[in-house]
Amino acid sequence: MTLSESSRPGSGVVAADHVSLRRNNLSVVLRHVRAAGSRSRARIAADTGLNKATVSSLVAELVDRGLLREGQAEAGALGRPGQLVELDGSGVCGVGAEINVDYLAVTALDLSGETVTERRVPLDVAHLDPAATLDQLAELIRESVTAVVSRGGQIAGVTLAVPGLVQSATGLLKLAPNLGWAEVPVVDEMRERLGSPAYPVRVDNEANLAALAAYSEIKAATEPDADQVQDIVLLTGAVGVGGGMVTGGHLLRGGHGFSGEVGHMPVAPAGGTCGCGRTGCWETVVGLTALLNKATDSDDPVRDPSLDVEQRLAEITRRAEDGSRRTLKALADVGTWLGVGGAILVNILNPDVLVLGGYFAVLGPWLKEPLESAIRDRVIAPEGGGCRVVQSQLGFTAAVRGGAQISLDQVFLDPTLVGRDTAGVAQ
């Protein structure tokens, strides 16, 4: 329901309520333009139930804040054509930054979801201490912020994606077994390195952020019923394996924010030792290290963490396409184990869609069939409970895109968070 733009007589609404009301109405207009596309002020008023004078005032403020801009005249309108307004893609950007076992990545997205700048660098993070890694990531973030500001944009916020147990509210990374990190106050450390910036710095689990990006990807798809999808499970594969879950359109975090550590499900009791110190975790049989151990010798160049992960996977893909028996057997083995754990998750959560992300998506042509076969065989509900398996097209950008999206979503919820200043960052 759209909020009324004025208080009724005798309601006793105080000044603070008027401020809150206007903030919410700014959000209504901005989110409507995002969802519906370019609209005239009159059309926005008709669609939202706000009166025309109020919409004109709200649009003027949103333009002033760099969130909307004037577009073309409305085509086909009767009488005097109205001026369309649209999202100002260049006005505000969110930045996502990821720490993973063998790379760092940073991406800036504008308000319309377009990529402004992105960079990924190979780095053997598991053999560096946290301070050295955060130093290098801070430099990448500064480069991204500079690129945004140089084109006249503002920074809505920076969100860090890390593969481990995260307390988002406190900014603390409790444990990241594959990195060898524990009790690291990553937000405080990054804010210090960035010079206590005016924009907010957040942290979240990388699979959670990747799931948000994958959910947006699915909702934006043109295939039938895409807009009806409300529940997904994302499996993101790298050296570790993470899971992000969206249920009823909302991220499922669990009672203490630690949900999604699906890589540590004990599915292979006779398996190897995991980075967490336990035996038989799912990621010991489906993680990228497990695949490389099966598919390559110890001196094979694709095991070199100084090579970009996409280069390494391109070589595995080439070998599979060339019919390498060892490569194909390794992929079949991993795909079968992927199906074992995937079926458990489908039995428990019954998602509409199971999304393959990270390296699972890249090698999806060989992993998807055994996964789907296991779901058919192991899920008790008929026809896999209606779950379908899809490969994300976001590759290794999902977590950083989800991080950037988190910051931008805050602006859509409260447009007053953004205002131009001489530094070019969000106030």
Side-chain angles (χ1 to χ4, degrees), residues 227-241:
D227 61 339
Q228 301 300 314
V229 172
Q230 290 295 305
D231 298 82
I232 74 164
V233 171
L234 170 87
L235 299 179
T236 178
V239 172
V241 174

Side-chain angles (χ1 to χ4, degrees), residues 135-408:
D135 285 344
Q136 295 198 46
L137 185 62
E139 182 58 34
L140 292 177
I141 293 171
R142 281 192 290 268
E143 291 177 4
S144 183
V145 169
T146 298
V148 171
V149 173
S150 67
R151 67 198 290 271
Q154 305 174 71
I155 303 298
V158 171
T159 304
L160 311 177
V162 293
L165 301 178
V166 175
Q167 290 180 333
S168 297
T170 63
L172 179 68
L173 172 64
K174 291 290 291 182
L175 178 66
N178 289 318
L179 300 183
W181 294 14
E183 302 294 332
V184 180
V186 289
V187 167
D188 289 344
E189 293 283 347
M190 187 55 66
R191 284 189 57 81
E192 180 179 347
R193 285 166 171 78
L194 296 176
S196 299
Y199 50 79
V201 178
R202 304 176 179 88
V203 65
D204 209 328
N205 174 269
E206 52 94 19
N208 282 345
L209 296 174
L212 289 175
Y215 183 68
S216 295
E217 177 188 27
I218 290 171
K219 299 294 278 187
T222 57
E223 60 191 65
D225 300 326
D227 61 339
Q228 301 300 314
V229 172
Q230 290 295 305
D231 298 82
I232 74 164
V233 171
L234 170 87
L235 299 179
T236 178
V239 172
V241 174
M245 290 153 278
V246 174
T247 180
H250 300 283
L251 190 66
L252 180 64
R253 294 183 177 276
H256 300 280
F258 298 150
S259 69
E261 291 297 324
V262 298
H264 300 290
M265 293 192 303
V267 300
T273 301
C274 181
C276 72
R278 296 170 177 83
T279 300
C281 292
W282 194 23
E283 68 183 44
T284 66
V285 289
V286 299
L288 182 56
T289 298
L291 173 68
L292 295 178
N293 286 343
K294 293 173 182 289
T296 67
D297 296 325
S298 59
D299 60 348
D300 195 303
V302 298
R303 294 201 189 193
D304 183 357
S306 68
L307 290 178
D308 183 75
V309 65
E310 289 193 345
Q311 290 179 282
R312 299 159 72 190
L313 291 173
E315 175 58 21
I316 294 294
T317 298
R318 184 193 66 77
R319 295 177 190 181
E321 290 175 339
D322 287 348
S324 164
R325 294 180 64 183
R326 182 175 180 182
T327 302
L328 291 173
K329 183 179 185 305
L331 287 166
D333 288 346
V334 169
T336 298
W337 278 112
L338 190 61
V340 171
I344 293 172
L345 295 173
V346 173
N347 269 322
I348 295 171
L349 297 166
N350 186 220
D352 298 312
V353 181
L354 185 66
V355 185
L356 300 181
Y359 103 80
F360 297 145
V362 177
L363 299 179
W366 296 275
L367 299 176
K368 187 178 176 183
E369 191 281 328
L371 170 58
E372 291 178 325
S373 177
I375 289 176
R376 288 192 300 269
D377 294 342
R378 294 170 179 265
V379 172
I380 191 169
E383 299 185 15
C387 176
R388 58 189 175 92
V389 179
V390 302
Q391 296 164 229
S392 172
Q393 301 302 308
L394 299 178
F396 288 91
T397 70
V400 287
R401 290 185 67 88
Q405 180 181 321
I406 285 280
S407 295
L408 293 172

Side-chain angles (χ1 to χ4, degrees), residues 38-41 69-75 82-86:
S38 301
R39 286 291 189 271
S40 67
R41 290 163 176 79
R69 65 187 174 198
E70 300 285 355
Q72 299 177 344
E74 185 176 21
Q83 192 78 18
L84 298 176
V85 292
E86 59 192 18

